[in-house]
Amino acid sequence: MLQPIIQNTYLVEVNLPTVTQGQNYPFLDNPNLRYPKIFLHGMESLIDVQLSKSPNQSDIVTASGAAGIVLTLSVKDTEEVFQIPYLSLCTTVNAGLIREFANKQINLTKSYITVFDVTNLVAGQSAAFNFYYKIA
Amino acid sequence: MQKKPLQNIDISKIVKSKTVYVNIFAGRIGLAQINYKYFFDSDSDLDNSLIVGCEFNRGYINGSDLGNFAPGQDFDPIGNLNAIEYIKADMAAFTVSLVDVENRAFFDKMPLTCLYYGNNGRHPKRMNNRIRMDKCYIQAFAPFNMPGTCDGNQIKYMAQFTFHYIPYVKRNR
């Protein structure tokens, strides 16, 4: 199966300063990915075996910790991708396949991750994503 | 002018591939450093070419120790040079940024593991960008171990990438 043709990628992290069950952790504003500048056509979540530290020197979540995280992506004000499991987007556990989206014009600052299970998550760790996008 | 996307390119049918190396040598900076950018060299074959695929090869370490990967999946055109070791165990520490001819990073901090062919179900990353090699770099966000034999004067530690590309043809108008 052919993979998508990637036009642009960007590594984005969401830091977990504290780990609380049920807590939402929003994405920070990013000028490169600001709404309505980009169309998201694919996404990949990262675990520690893929990237050991984030650009801000935080540890990346482990596979066992990531099992307790879900992702919500907003398009404008609507949560169009609601609570997709973090590991569903992880290529190392999905035969290398990138999860593709139908060119969603995402609103990053209204998108967030949610911790459902704090087991094996440590305060200070980061969740990291590769955004595959086209410029609008 | 809008670029026309190349759809359904089968990378296995791309005739042009080139393996290039990024040198991480202690002599340049004194010590291996986090956040430091290690740049690719300019490459006359790849500059301006349309890159349609990219892979990170872990390469051999002294011609052996391929771990779980069979010979042939990684390759080493240089041969068994004892002076060279490749990023392998440390690859999760590194990211790569690839820059196009418009000076824009179209791959921004992509983990090497995501480009590692053997790590991703044999699915190489596909792309469609004209590259500017000397602006591309790898960068580590975690501590990594330089080979113990590094003395600061010789090239020792390298990252090995293979680019699949359609060559740039300069037209006379």
Side-chain angles (χ1 to χ4, degrees), chain A residues 4-102:
Chain A
I5 295 172
I6 299 163
Q7 288 198 357
N8 299 281
T9 76
Y10 205 92
L11 182 71
V12 180
E13 72 171 292
V14 181
N15 190 250
L16 311 173
T18 57
V19 181
T20 312
Q21 193 168 338
Q23 173 95 31
N24 291 342
Y25 301 87
F27 287 89
L28 297 178
D29 181 36
N30 188 316
N32 289 305
L33 305 174
R34 194 171 282 162
Y35 177 82
K37 208 170 170 180
I38 63 150
F39 290 113
L40 187 75
H41 70 87
M43 200 167 178
E44 184 176 358
S45 62
L46 305 173
I47 54 176
D48 64 331
V49 295
Q50 292 172 285
L51 186 67
S52 46
K53 294 263 190 191
S54 75
N56 291 327
Q57 306 297 306
S58 303
D59 290 332
I60 302 294
V61 292
T62 60
S64 54
I69 298 174
V70 294
L71 167 75
T72 300
L73 291 176
S74 294
V75 176
K76 208 172 180 184
D77 289 328
T78 311
E79 293 172 340
E80 290 198 1
V81 177
F82 188 65
Q83 293 184 348
I84 188 169
Y86 190 89
L87 284 183
S88 295
L89 303 169
C90 184
T91 52
T92 52
V93 295
N94 289 299
L97 293 171
I98 297 169
R99 187 61 59 110
E100 293 185 73
F101 296 108

Side-chain angles (χ1 to χ4, degrees), chain B residues 11-121:
Chain B
I11 290 171
S12 64
K13 295 193 175 112
I14 300 297
V15 288
K16 289 279 188 182
S17 287
K18 183 160 185 176
T19 298
V20 296
Y21 305 88
V22 186
N23 303 328
I24 301 171
F25 52 99
R28 185 185 292 180
I29 53 170
L31 288 170
Q33 287 185 4
I34 296 170
N35 283 333
Y36 192 87
K37 293 174 180 174
Y38 299 94
F39 284 89
F40 287 74
D41 288 329
S42 182
D43 189 295
S44 58
D45 290 326
L46 293 174
D47 280 336
N48 288 308
S49 293
L50 189 65
I51 306 295
V52 293
C54 177
E55 297 164 34
F56 167 68
N57 304 306
R58 297 197 303 187
Y60 291 108
I61 295 181
N62 295 338
S64 61
D65 187 19
L66 283 172
N68 295 323
F69 298 95
Q73 290 176 356
D74 296 333
F75 62 96
D76 179 11
I78 285 182
N80 299 336
L81 295 177
N82 289 327
I84 293 173
E85 294 193 14
Y86 293 103
I87 292 174
K88 184 170 177 164
D90 287 328
M91 67 177 173
F94 284 90
T95 63
V96 62
S97 294
L98 301 178
V99 178
D100 66 14
V101 290
E102 291 162 0
N103 227 358
R104 197 166 48 84
F106 60 92
F107 269 38
D108 203 315
K109 298 187 281 293
M110 167 76 80
L112 291 194
T113 50
C114 294
L115 291 175
Y116 179 44
Y117 194 68
N119 230 17
N120 289 288

